[in-house]
Amino acid sequence: MEPTGAAAVIIGNEVLTAKVVDANGPHLIKRLREVGIPLRTLELVPDEVDIIVEAVARARLRAKYVFTSGGIGPTHDDVTVRAVALAMGRKVVRLPEMVALIREKAVDAPTAEAMRLADAPEGAVLLPQPGSWYPVLTVGDVFMLPGVPQLFRTQLEAVLARLSGTPVHLRVLYLNLGESAVAAVLDRVALDMPHVAIGSYPMFDRSLDYSVKVTVESVEKDAVEVAVARLQTGLPSGSVVRTE
């Protein structure tokens, strides 16, 4: 069976050492959900070639689309391009079109370090990014995005504009009973409707007016509504505080 959905590899020692709080992973999760592309896995790894190679290889086995974040700049710790090339069994080459863009953008003659931005896995292509001279680097459904959140977000939108997904319909029920009291009803509906995903999340904040948040989701809107109706009928009277 061909892999579906997406997987992500967030790369950076700065995240793993708490120098920077990762903003790209949460944003990617949110945007993929909004466009209807399921995220299979998200892995956080350091700037080490061998570990990145393993993570990218795993991601490609699990998902059709792979997003990486970080490690594509001109400094010594930017090793993502080399790692992705190794994971795909490709050489690292210098893209003439990227060389031309760098020279066009530079005020003076670009340094050797700046030219590292033109290195890419063999077979890579550049996707134009509206409003920016810097294109998105991609090879075989692997999208290598910057680690800087602002750049990551704009490049992500350029990628998502080219992909297609199936939006998921979501309903939420807030219950004033604990999970033990409602588990049997949730189990019954979940077993009868395997094409609908039902999640149960207990809350322990006494300032809230509910104890359990139940989510019901599917690509089929009618199925979601049927499942919600069955839950409301089966749950004890008065246990549903509100729905969304």
Side-chain angles (χ1 to χ4, degrees), residues 124-177:
V125 297
L126 301 174
L127 304 180
Q129 182 188 174
S132 173
W133 73 275
Y134 194 84
V136 181
L137 180 61
T138 179
V139 56
D141 285 331
V142 177
F143 305 99
M144 289 165 275
L145 307 184
V148 177
Q150 183 179 3
L151 300 178
F152 178 90
R153 293 184 178 210
T154 56
Q155 288 214 352
L156 176 62
E157 293 309 311
V159 174
L160 294 181
R162 295 168 175 265
L163 307 183
S164 60
T166 305
V168 173
H169 299 280
L170 171 69
R171 291 286 307 278
V172 181
L173 295 84
Y174 297 91
L175 312 180
N176 58 17
L177 296 178

Side-chain angles (χ1 to χ4, degrees), residues 78-206:
D78 291 314
V79 295
T80 299
V81 165
R82 179 152 54 102
V84 169
L86 286 168
M88 301 180 73
R90 304 186 183 210
K91 298 184 296 184
V92 174
V93 298
R94 185 149 288 183
L95 300 180
E97 58 267 49
M98 193 65 192
V99 170
L101 285 171
I102 293 169
R103 286 176 173 163
E104 180 183 332
K105 184 69 176 176
V107 176
D108 300 313
T111 64
E113 291 75 20
M115 280 301 179
R116 292 175 186 167
L117 294 172
D119 290 344
E122 189 173 32
V125 297
L126 301 174
L127 304 180
Q129 182 188 174
S132 173
W133 73 275
Y134 194 84
V136 181
L137 180 61
T138 179
V139 56
D141 285 331
V142 177
F143 305 99
M144 289 165 275
L145 307 184
V148 177
Q150 183 179 3
L151 300 178
F152 178 90
R153 293 184 178 210
T154 56
Q155 288 214 352
L156 176 62
E157 293 309 311
V159 174
L160 294 181
R162 295 168 175 265
L163 307 183
S164 60
T166 305
V168 173
H169 299 280
L170 171 69
R171 291 286 307 278
V172 181
L173 295 84
Y174 297 91
L175 312 180
N176 58 17
L177 296 178
E179 281 191 307
S180 297
V182 300
V185 177
L186 301 186
D187 287 350
R188 186 163 60 249
V189 177
L191 286 171
D192 289 346
M193 304 184 71
H195 54 300
V196 176
I198 298 176
S200 176
Y201 310 100
M203 309 300 291
F204 301 99
D205 184 347
R206 293 185 177 181

Side-chain angles (χ1 to χ4, degrees), residues 14-89:
E14 68 277 11
V15 177
L16 289 169
T17 56
K19 296 185 186 75
V20 172
V21 176
D22 174 48
N24 295 340
H27 181 72
L28 179 64
I29 292 171
K30 178 176 180 291
R31 288 296 293 124
L32 287 175
R33 181 175 178 81
E34 288 172 349
V35 300
I37 298 175
L39 181 62
R40 303 301 184 193
T41 62
L42 187 149
E43 192 166 352
L44 181 59
V45 299
D47 299 303
E48 297 179 25
V49 172
D50 290 347
I51 296 178
I52 300 171
V53 169
E54 294 169 357
V56 171
R58 281 192 294 270
R60 294 185 69 226
L61 289 173
R62 295 166 175 163
K64 176 176 176 57
Y65 306 117
V66 175
F67 294 86
T68 69
S69 163
I72 61 171
T75 58
H76 69 284
D77 57 349
D78 291 314
V79 295
T80 299
V81 165
R82 179 152 54 102
V84 169
L86 286 168
M88 301 180 73

